[in-house]
Amino acid sequence: MSYQLIYKRYGEFSILIKWKAIVDKDIIRDINTYKTKILKKEERKIQDCIIGYHSLLIVYKEVLCKVAEKISFLKEIYSFEQSVSSKINRVWTIPVCYNLKYGVDLLDISERTKLSVEEIIQLHINTIYTVYFIGFLPGFLYLGGLNRKLFFDRKSTPRLKVPKGAVAIGGKQTGVYPEKSAGGWNIIGNTPLRFFDVTKEVPCFAKSGDEIKFTSISEEEYFKIKGEVKKGLYKIEKKVIVNS
Amino acid sequence: MIKVLSSGIYTAVHDLGRTGYREMGIPVAGVMDRYATMFANMILNNKEEDAVIEIVFGSSKFEFLESCSISISGADFSAKIDNEFTLMNTVLEVEKGSVLSFGKRNFGVRTYIAVKGGFLTETVLGSRGFYKGITNRHVFKKGVIIPINKEQKKIKETRSKVKFNKDYIRTNNIEVFEGPEYELLSIDQKEKLKQLEFTISSSNSRMGYILNEKIKNSFPSMLSSGVLPGTVQLTPSGKLIVLMRDCQVTGGYPRILQLTEESINILSQKTTKDSIKFKIKRFS
């Protein structure tokens, strides 16, 4: 599917490409396919590609001169046939301990949504989420696909300290805090996995367009996995799907 | 090696930043004032990307544990070597045991100390620049010893003929381009942006500068999208935030203006209560 895109110069070095302003799985897939195609042609000239829900920001290494020409070139790339490599999708399975000790807001959500804690957990693990993009913090994944029943407003006053690995719900989204930070989302559990590790060549295993599945683990398994992650022995379960 | 005798308000190592990782949510960061940094490195015949020390205001103090060639550019805090005033923007030969200190602030906010060969702190994801959560340290503390690239301690030829143009530090004209959401502003809002003199609030840091004056904000909420250092966002309260080098990679506020690279350097030499005026520039 082809979308109507808007191209805009943004500062001296960048071009912003915008899709329709909605949160949509197909749009994020299209953004990633387009990004792959652009990188194939222009990788050496590009410093960074920043993905948003409905946008792709291409930051070039040099100041842009012939912008109109550049944009027609980008438009031409958009119309190229999609390559096979960009149709591959990865699904990561993330173990989460939804123990009340970690899921400090579970009881509050349960009370206000009239769902039992067990129902909340089931609704959270029975969905495959799409990684829209990474922002806010290094390795913070914006995940879409949350079950409507779990839509839950952010806290009116953010917590000053949300622990590393906290799995949380904020509005229509769910996500994992890669590091200890301040944050306003409602915490429902904790994962022993590291979503961001600067010592790795690729510090963040997931990327925009990937999919995420959560699975419920006991506290005992939580500590076992945490130990394995520390030693670098834990291998995150990954499924590769080729879309036709 | 150089020892930090006092770390003052802010003392850290930076270079031109960490690029290629913004997709993972990692900011570029790097030196706030690239012009001063490039100048300090250039007169030492250093590479553009060699790491320098960035200090804010003048309370930092250093002892040289070896003799080396250094240069100081950017804000003027009455630099002294062994208690004697010293020149900026020129190559200084410093003896082992000398102490570099700063005193009265004459102008500017951030100054840069470059050393022949560059400072050697850990390189993380292609940059030596400090950033909380990425590098082990995010500021220097008293007593820390910073290594220097030993290969080239002294220089013979200097480019002393180049002049540091310090006018940019004093100007309050901030050149901007229209941002991606500029056209959604009303005529009245656009006029205000052009005419108002904005003052910098006390909330100003490497992440961003919040300005005091308000502009009526009638924007609906927006989906998060990429932002850049130098992007001016209009917040729901009507206050403007100018994003600086440490800014996050995405944001959900309308991006109404974009500072030129030069203007980011200008703003990085400004602080609380300083005023600025936006000058909207068209792309040539």
Side-chain angles (χ1 to χ4, degrees):
Chain A
M1 162 148 188
S2 218
Y3 294 87
Q4 201 65 29
L5 307 184
I6 296 167
Y7 294 79
K8 257 187 191 161
R9 179 167 197 174
Y10 180 6
E12 285 148 287
F13 297 88
S14 316
I15 289 175
L16 177 70
I17 309 170
K18 289 207 285 188
W19 278 252
K20 199 172 141 188
I22 49 169
V23 178
D24 181 89
K25 233 163 101 173
D26 293 328
I27 286 181
I28 211 72
R29 197 160 286 167
D30 195 55
I31 293 173
N32 276 288
T33 305
Y34 192 12
K35 188 200 92 177
T36 309
K37 289 196 280 190
I38 294 170
L39 284 178
K40 224 170 164 181
K41 285 274 172 200
E42 301 220 278
E43 188 150 24
R44 279 180 306 117
K45 294 181 190 163
I46 292 173
Q47 185 182 76
D48 275 297
C49 285
I50 309 170
I51 293 173
Y53 282 113
H54 69 304
S55 62
L56 175 59
L57 176 56
I58 308 169
V59 185
Y60 288 90
K61 289 177 182 166
E62 305 282 333
V63 174
L64 291 166
C65 319
K66 294 172 182 165
V67 179
E69 269 175 45
K70 190 62 143 188
I71 290 173
S72 357
F73 181 61
L74 289 170
K75 283 180 178 168
E76 209 178 293
I77 297 177
Y78 188 61
S79 62
F80 287 169
E81 268 300 290
Q82 187 172 328
S83 63
V84 181
S85 65
S86 58
K87 291 181 188 170
I88 293 173
N89 250 35
R90 305 182 298 178
V91 189
W92 303 92
T93 302
I94 309 301
V96 177
C97 181
Y98 293 95
N99 195 318
L100 292 180
K101 195 166 114 190
Y102 301 109
V104 288
D105 291 322
L106 275 172
L107 289 178
D108 184 36
I109 300 177
S110 167
E111 201 176 295
R112 292 210 260 163
T113 57
K114 309 282 177 239
L115 294 166
S116 71
V117 168
E118 192 43 45
E119 281 171 317
I120 296 170
I121 297 168
Q122 284 309 316
L123 287 170
H124 198 251
I125 62 178
N126 284 337
T127 306
I128 293 181
Y129 301 94
T130 303
V131 178
Y132 278 97
F133 60 95
I134 305 174
F136 171 53
L137 289 171
F140 188 94
L141 276 44
Y142 281 84
L143 300 176
L146 187 69
N147 189 299
R148 287 184 159 276
K149 290 182 190 161
L150 292 181
F151 288 180
F152 203 73
D153 280 346
R154 279 160 226 216
K155 297 202 156 297
S156 45
T157 316
R159 280 193 176 88
L160 288 175
K161 275 178 194 163
V162 174
K164 178 177 176 172
V167 177
I169 289 172
K172 298 174 182 175
Q173 302 172 97
T174 185
V176 179
Y177 284 85
E179 281 299 332
K180 190 172 82 184
S181 90
W185 289 19
N186 305 281
I187 305 167
I188 60 168
N190 197 288
T191 175
L193 302 192
R194 281 184 189 156
F195 275 72
F196 184 70
D197 185 351
V198 278
T199 63
K200 297 240 169 83
E201 202 183 322
V202 181
C204 194
F205 62 84
K207 58 185 179 65
S208 174
D210 283 0
E211 290 178 331
I212 298 272
K213 231 181 106 164
F214 293 107
T215 168
S216 175
I217 55 167
S218 67
E219 197 175 13
E220 205 182 337
E221 288 169 286
Y222 175 89
F223 282 113
K224 187 172 161 273
I225 296 173
K226 202 160 189 163
E228 288 172 9
V229 168
K230 210 171 176 182
K231 287 182 198 142
L233 300 172
Y234 189 79
K235 215 166 171 298
I236 310 167
E237 198 188 315
K238 172 178 81 172
K239 247 196 317 198
V240 176
I241 299 165
V242 179
N243 299 300
S244 51
Chain B
M1 287 183 293
I2 154 171
K3 187 178 175 183
V4 180
L5 297 181
S6 167
S7 56
I9 291 170
Y10 180 85
T11 303
V13 157
H14 284 289
D15 52 21
L16 297 182
R18 209 163 263 115
T19 55
Y21 295 96
R22 277 190 262 193
E23 220 181 321
M24 294 173 196
I26 303 170
V28 178
V31 291
M32 287 281 274
D33 181 348
R34 288 187 165 214
Y35 173 68
T37 303
M38 283 164 144
F39 192 91
N41 270 330
M42 185 185 67
I43 51 175
L44 288 168
N45 280 327
N46 273 355
K47 287 190 265 240
E48 216 175 50
E49 64 272 20
D50 280 337
V52 298
I53 292 175
E54 178 176 290
I55 66 169
V56 173
F57 295 127
S59 38
S60 309
K61 200 170 175 182
F62 307 91
E63 181 188 345
F64 293 88
L65 305 180
E66 56 188 297
S67 48
C68 52
S69 309
I70 66 160
S71 61
I72 307 162
S73 292
D76 187 336
F77 307 134
S78 319
K80 281 181 179 176
I81 291 176
D82 292 333
N83 267 323
E84 279 195 30
F85 288 115
T86 187
L87 289 171
M88 289 179 65
N89 310 308
T90 184
V91 177
L92 304 166
E93 301 296 339
V94 187
E95 294 303 318
K96 182 179 173 180
S98 295
V99 172
L100 169 65
S101 61
F102 300 89
K104 187 176 163 269
R105 175 187 173 218
N106 293 320
F107 55 80
V109 173
R110 294 176 166 88
T111 209
Y112 296 86
I113 305 160
V115 65
K116 181 63 195 161
F119 290 103
L120 295 182
T121 53
E122 55 164 353
T123 302
V124 182
L125 306 176
S127 167
R128 297 183 193 277
F130 286 8
Y131 191 86
K132 209 174 186 174
I134 304 278
T135 47
N136 284 322
R137 303 184 236 265
H138 65 282
V139 283
F140 279 128
K141 296 222 166 78
K142 186 179 165 177
V144 170
I145 289 167
I146 315 164
I148 296 169
N149 186 357
K150 285 207 169 62
E151 305 290 296
Q152 322 155 299
K153 272 197 297 196
K154 294 252 177 184
I155 52 163
K156 299 217 166 61
E157 270 178 79
T158 65
R159 297 194 198 165
S160 51
K161 277 177 199 153
V162 225
K163 201 178 169 289
F164 183 77
N165 182 5
K166 64 184 180 210
D167 294 350
Y168 80 100
I169 298 182
R170 294 187 193 268
T171 181
N172 64 354
N173 283 339
I174 299 289
E175 280 194 329
V176 291
F177 295 108
E178 296 176 359
E181 277 75 50
Y182 179 83
E183 63 190 38
L184 302 176
L185 294 168
S186 67
I187 293 168
D188 187 50
Q189 287 170 316
K190 288 178 184 170
E191 277 308 304
K192 281 240 164 70
L193 277 179
K194 281 179 206 160
Q195 278 160 11
L196 273 179
E197 193 165 270
F198 289 92
T199 51
I200 297 166
S201 77
S202 58
S203 295
N204 65 82
S205 69
R206 295 185 53 91
M207 293 261 291
Y209 282 37
I210 297 179
L211 308 179
N212 286 319
E213 293 68 21
K214 287 186 182 177
I215 283 203
K216 204 178 147 216
N217 182 0
S218 42
F219 276 99
S221 69
M222 233 184 77
L223 290 173
S224 284
S225 179
V227 293
L228 301 167
T231 297
V232 182
Q233 293 178 309
L234 178 59
T235 66
S237 74
K239 283 191 179 178
L240 305 180
I241 300 181
V242 188
L243 300 179
M244 295 301 273
R245 306 280 185 197
D246 276 2
C247 72
Q248 294 167 8
V249 300
T250 54
Y253 299 140
R255 301 156 288 190
I256 56 172
L257 300 170
Q258 175 64 37
L259 270 64
T260 60
E261 280 299 302
E262 202 193 339
S263 290
I264 302 176
N265 300 334
I266 296 172
L267 194 60
S268 72
Q269 294 294 358
K270 305 225 173 290
T271 185
T272 318
K273 291 183 182 161
D274 285 345
S275 64
I276 56 168
K277 274 201 94 169
F278 292 119
K279 295 263 178 271
I280 299 184
K281 202 178 155 181
R282 301 244 156 222
F283 289 113
S284 49

PDB file of all heavy atoms in Angstrom, chain A residues 99-114:
ATOM      1  N   ASN A  99       4.166 -10.132  39.799  1.00  0.00           N
ATOM      2  CA  ASN A  99       4.001 -10.174  41.244  1.00  0.00           C
ATOM      3  C   ASN A  99       3.604  -8.787  41.775  1.00  0.00           C
ATOM      4  O   ASN A  99       4.081  -7.781  41.276  1.00  0.00           O
ATOM      5  CB  ASN A  99       5.394 -10.569  41.781  1.00  0.00           C
ATOM      6  CG  ASN A  99       5.350 -11.010  43.193  1.00  0.00           C
ATOM      7  OD1 ASN A  99       4.667 -10.406  43.999  1.00  0.00           O
ATOM      8  ND2 ASN A  99       6.075 -12.074  43.484  1.00  0.00           N
ATOM      9  N   LEU A 100       2.740  -8.737  42.802  1.00  0.00           N
ATOM     10  CA  LEU A 100       2.307  -7.437  43.336  1.00  0.00           C
ATOM     11  C   LEU A 100       3.467  -6.594  43.871  1.00  0.00           C
ATOM     12  O   LEU A 100       3.409  -5.375  43.929  1.00  0.00           O
ATOM     13  CB  LEU A 100       1.270  -7.634  44.449  1.00  0.00           C
ATOM     14  CG  LEU A 100      -0.095  -8.178  44.021  1.00  0.00           C
ATOM     15  CD1 LEU A 100      -1.001  -8.316  45.232  1.00  0.00           C
ATOM     16  CD2 LEU A 100      -0.737  -7.278  42.971  1.00  0.00           C
ATOM     17  N   LYS A 101       4.545  -7.297  44.247  1.00  0.00           N
ATOM     18  CA  LYS A 101       5.732  -6.616  44.744  1.00  0.00           C
ATOM     19  C   LYS A 101       6.329  -5.719  43.641  1.00  0.00           C
ATOM     20  O   LYS A 101       6.840  -4.638  43.908  1.00  0.00           O
ATOM     21  CB  LYS A 101       6.739  -7.693  45.144  1.00  0.00           C
ATOM     22  CG  LYS A 101       7.871  -7.217  46.008  1.00  0.00           C
ATOM     23  CD  LYS A 101       8.590  -8.416  46.601  1.00  0.00           C
ATOM     24  CE  LYS A 101       9.994  -8.499  46.050  1.00  0.00           C
ATOM     25  NZ  LYS A 101      10.629  -9.788  46.414  1.00  0.00           N
ATOM     26  N   TYR A 102       6.287  -6.204  42.396  1.00  0.00           N
ATOM     27  CA  TYR A 102       6.821  -5.433  41.270  1.00  0.00           C
ATOM     28  C   TYR A 102       5.725  -4.599  40.612  1.00  0.00           C
ATOM     29  O   TYR A 102       5.938  -3.469  40.208  1.00  0.00           O
ATOM     30  CB  TYR A 102       7.459  -6.354  40.231  1.00  0.00           C
ATOM     31  CG  TYR A 102       8.586  -7.182  40.799  1.00  0.00           C
ATOM     32  CD1 TYR A 102       8.449  -8.550  40.999  1.00  0.00           C
ATOM     33  CD2 TYR A 102       9.790  -6.565  41.150  1.00  0.00           C
ATOM     34  CE1 TYR A 102       9.481  -9.301  41.539  1.00  0.00           C
ATOM     35  CE2 TYR A 102      10.830  -7.304  41.692  1.00  0.00           C
ATOM     36  CZ  TYR A 102      10.674  -8.671  41.882  1.00  0.00           C
ATOM     37  OH  TYR A 102      11.690  -9.400  42.418  1.00  0.00           O
ATOM     38  N   GLY A 103       4.536  -5.225  40.488  1.00  0.00           N
ATOM     39  CA  GLY A 103       3.417  -4.518  39.855  1.00  0.00           C
ATOM     40  C   GLY A 103       2.697  -3.667  40.873  1.00  0.00           C
ATOM     41  O   GLY A 103       1.553  -3.928  41.245  1.00  0.00           O
ATOM     42  N   VAL A 104       3.369  -2.577  41.286  1.00  0.00           N
ATOM     43  CA  VAL A 104       2.877  -1.791  42.413  1.00  0.00           C
ATOM     44  C   VAL A 104       1.543  -1.078  42.137  1.00  0.00           C
ATOM     45  O   VAL A 104       0.863  -0.659  43.062  1.00  0.00           O
ATOM     46  CB  VAL A 104       3.927  -0.752  42.896  1.00  0.00           C
ATOM     47  CG1 VAL A 104       5.074  -1.438  43.602  1.00  0.00           C
ATOM     48  CG2 VAL A 104       4.443   0.083  41.718  1.00  0.00           C
ATOM     49  N   ASP A 105       1.176  -0.957  40.866  1.00  0.00           N
ATOM     50  CA  ASP A 105      -0.095  -0.285  40.566  1.00  0.00           C
ATOM     51  C   ASP A 105      -1.198  -1.270  40.174  1.00  0.00           C
ATOM     52  O   ASP A 105      -2.303  -0.857  39.819  1.00  0.00           O
ATOM     53  CB  ASP A 105       0.104   0.737  39.434  1.00  0.00           C
ATOM     54  CG  ASP A 105       0.958   1.918  39.874  1.00  0.00           C
ATOM     55  OD1 ASP A 105       0.806   2.352  41.029  1.00  0.00           O
ATOM     56  OD2 ASP A 105       1.787   2.382  39.071  1.00  0.00           O
ATOM     57  N   LEU A 106      -0.907  -2.564  40.229  1.00  0.00           N
ATOM     58  CA  LEU A 106      -1.898  -3.564  39.806  1.00  0.00           C
ATOM     59  C   LEU A 106      -3.201  -3.457  40.597  1.00  0.00           C
ATOM     60  O   LEU A 106      -4.293  -3.494  40.021  1.00  0.00           O
ATOM     61  CB  LEU A 106      -1.316  -4.981  39.948  1.00  0.00           C
ATOM     62  CG  LEU A 106      -0.474  -5.491  38.770  1.00  0.00           C
ATOM     63  CD1 LEU A 106       0.185  -6.819  39.130  1.00  0.00           C
ATOM     64  CD2 LEU A 106      -1.309  -5.646  37.507  1.00  0.00           C
ATOM     65  N   LEU A 107      -3.087  -3.311  41.918  1.00  0.00           N
ATOM     66  CA  LEU A 107      -4.306  -3.259  42.749  1.00  0.00           C
ATOM     67  C   LEU A 107      -5.137  -2.016  42.435  1.00  0.00           C
ATOM     68  O   LEU A 107      -6.360  -2.083  42.363  1.00  0.00           O
ATOM     69  CB  LEU A 107      -3.939  -3.316  44.237  1.00  0.00           C
ATOM     70  CG  LEU A 107      -3.425  -4.680  44.724  1.00  0.00           C
ATOM     71  CD1 LEU A 107      -3.053  -4.605  46.205  1.00  0.00           C
ATOM     72  CD2 LEU A 107      -4.464  -5.782  44.495  1.00  0.00           C
ATOM     73  N   ASP A 108      -4.456  -0.910  42.214  1.00  0.00           N
ATOM     74  CA  ASP A 108      -5.137   0.342  41.884  1.00  0.00           C
ATOM     75  C   ASP A 108      -5.875   0.204  40.544  1.00  0.00           C
ATOM     76  O   ASP A 108      -7.044   0.590  40.412  1.00  0.00           O
ATOM     77  CB  ASP A 108      -4.088   1.464  41.822  1.00  0.00           C
ATOM     78  CG  ASP A 108      -4.714   2.821  41.577  1.00  0.00           C
ATOM     79  OD1 ASP A 108      -5.818   3.048  42.100  1.00  0.00           O
ATOM     80  OD2 ASP A 108      -4.103   3.644  40.861  1.00  0.00           O
ATOM     81  N   ILE A 109      -5.205  -0.373  39.558  1.00  0.00           N
ATOM     82  CA  ILE A 109      -5.837  -0.564  38.238  1.00  0.00           C
ATOM     83  C   ILE A 109      -7.025  -1.512  38.391  1.00  0.00           C
ATOM     84  O   ILE A 109      -8.099  -1.287  37.832  1.00  0.00           O
ATOM     85  CB  ILE A 109      -4.823  -1.117  37.201  1.00  0.00           C
ATOM     86  CG1 ILE A 109      -3.644  -0.143  37.020  1.00  0.00           C
ATOM     87  CG2 ILE A 109      -5.495  -1.376  35.852  1.00  0.00           C
ATOM     88  CD1 ILE A 109      -2.561  -0.641  36.078  1.00  0.00           C
ATOM     89  N   SER A 110      -6.810  -2.573  39.166  1.00  0.00           N
ATOM     90  CA  SER A 110      -7.852  -3.564  39.368  1.00  0.00           C
ATOM     91  C   SER A 110      -9.098  -2.916  39.985  1.00  0.00           C
ATOM     92  O   SER A 110     -10.222  -3.110  39.516  1.00  0.00           O
ATOM     93  CB  SER A 110      -7.311  -4.673  40.280  1.00  0.00           C
ATOM     94  OG  SER A 110      -8.358  -5.481  40.738  1.00  0.00           O
ATOM     95  N   GLU A 111      -8.874  -2.096  40.985  1.00  0.00           N
ATOM     96  CA  GLU A 111      -9.986  -1.435  41.656  1.00  0.00           C
ATOM     97  C   GLU A 111     -10.741  -0.514  40.707  1.00  0.00           C
ATOM     98  O   GLU A 111     -11.962  -0.509  40.671  1.00  0.00           O
ATOM     99  CB  GLU A 111      -9.411  -0.631  42.826  1.00  0.00           C
ATOM    100  CG  GLU A 111     -10.422  -0.305  43.900  1.00  0.00           C
ATOM    101  CD  GLU A 111      -9.742   0.396  45.063  1.00  0.00           C
ATOM    102  OE1 GLU A 111      -8.894  -0.233  45.731  1.00  0.00           O
ATOM    103  OE2 GLU A 111     -10.027   1.587  45.243  1.00  0.00           O
ATOM    104  N   ARG A 112     -10.003   0.215  39.918  1.00  0.00           N
ATOM    105  CA  ARG A 112     -10.639   1.226  39.080  1.00  0.00           C
ATOM    106  C   ARG A 112     -11.205   0.667  37.781  1.00  0.00           C
ATOM    107  O   ARG A 112     -12.100   1.247  37.185  1.00  0.00           O
ATOM    108  CB  ARG A 112      -9.669   2.362  38.811  1.00  0.00           C
ATOM    109  CG  ARG A 112      -9.404   3.119  40.125  1.00  0.00           C
ATOM    110  CD  ARG A 112      -9.113   4.537  39.891  1.00  0.00           C
ATOM    111  NE  ARG A 112      -7.672   4.794  39.948  1.00  0.00           N
ATOM    112  CZ  ARG A 112      -7.107   5.879  39.459  1.00  0.00           C
ATOM    113  NH1 ARG A 112      -7.838   6.764  38.832  1.00  0.00           N
ATOM    114  NH2 ARG A 112      -5.815   6.057  39.578  1.00  0.00           N
ATOM    115  N   THR A 113     -10.694  -0.463  37.308  1.00  0.00           N
ATOM    116  CA  THR A 113     -11.218  -1.027  36.056  1.00  0.00           C
ATOM    117  C   THR A 113     -12.202  -2.161  36.340  1.00  0.00           C
ATOM    118  O   THR A 113     -12.835  -2.658  35.423  1.00  0.00           O
ATOM    119  CB  THR A 113     -10.092  -1.604  35.175  1.00  0.00           C
ATOM    120  OG1 THR A 113      -9.383  -2.587  35.941  1.00  0.00           O
ATOM    121  CG2 THR A 113      -9.140  -0.544  34.682  1.00  0.00           C
ATOM    122  N   LYS A 114     -12.289  -2.554  37.603  1.00  0.00           N
ATOM    123  CA  LYS A 114     -13.133  -3.686  38.011  1.00  0.00           C
ATOM    124  C   LYS A 114     -12.689  -5.004  37.363  1.00  0.00           C
ATOM    125  O   LYS A 114     -13.473  -5.918  37.180  1.00  0.00           O
ATOM    126  CB  LYS A 114     -14.633  -3.428  37.700  1.00  0.00           C
ATOM    127  CG  LYS A 114     -15.175  -2.116  38.216  1.00  0.00           C
ATOM    128  CD  LYS A 114     -15.475  -2.177  39.714  1.00  0.00           C
ATOM    129  CE  LYS A 114     -15.957  -0.828  40.240  1.00  0.00           C
ATOM    130  NZ  LYS A 114     -15.090  -0.300  41.309  1.00  0.00           N
TER     131      LYS A 114
END
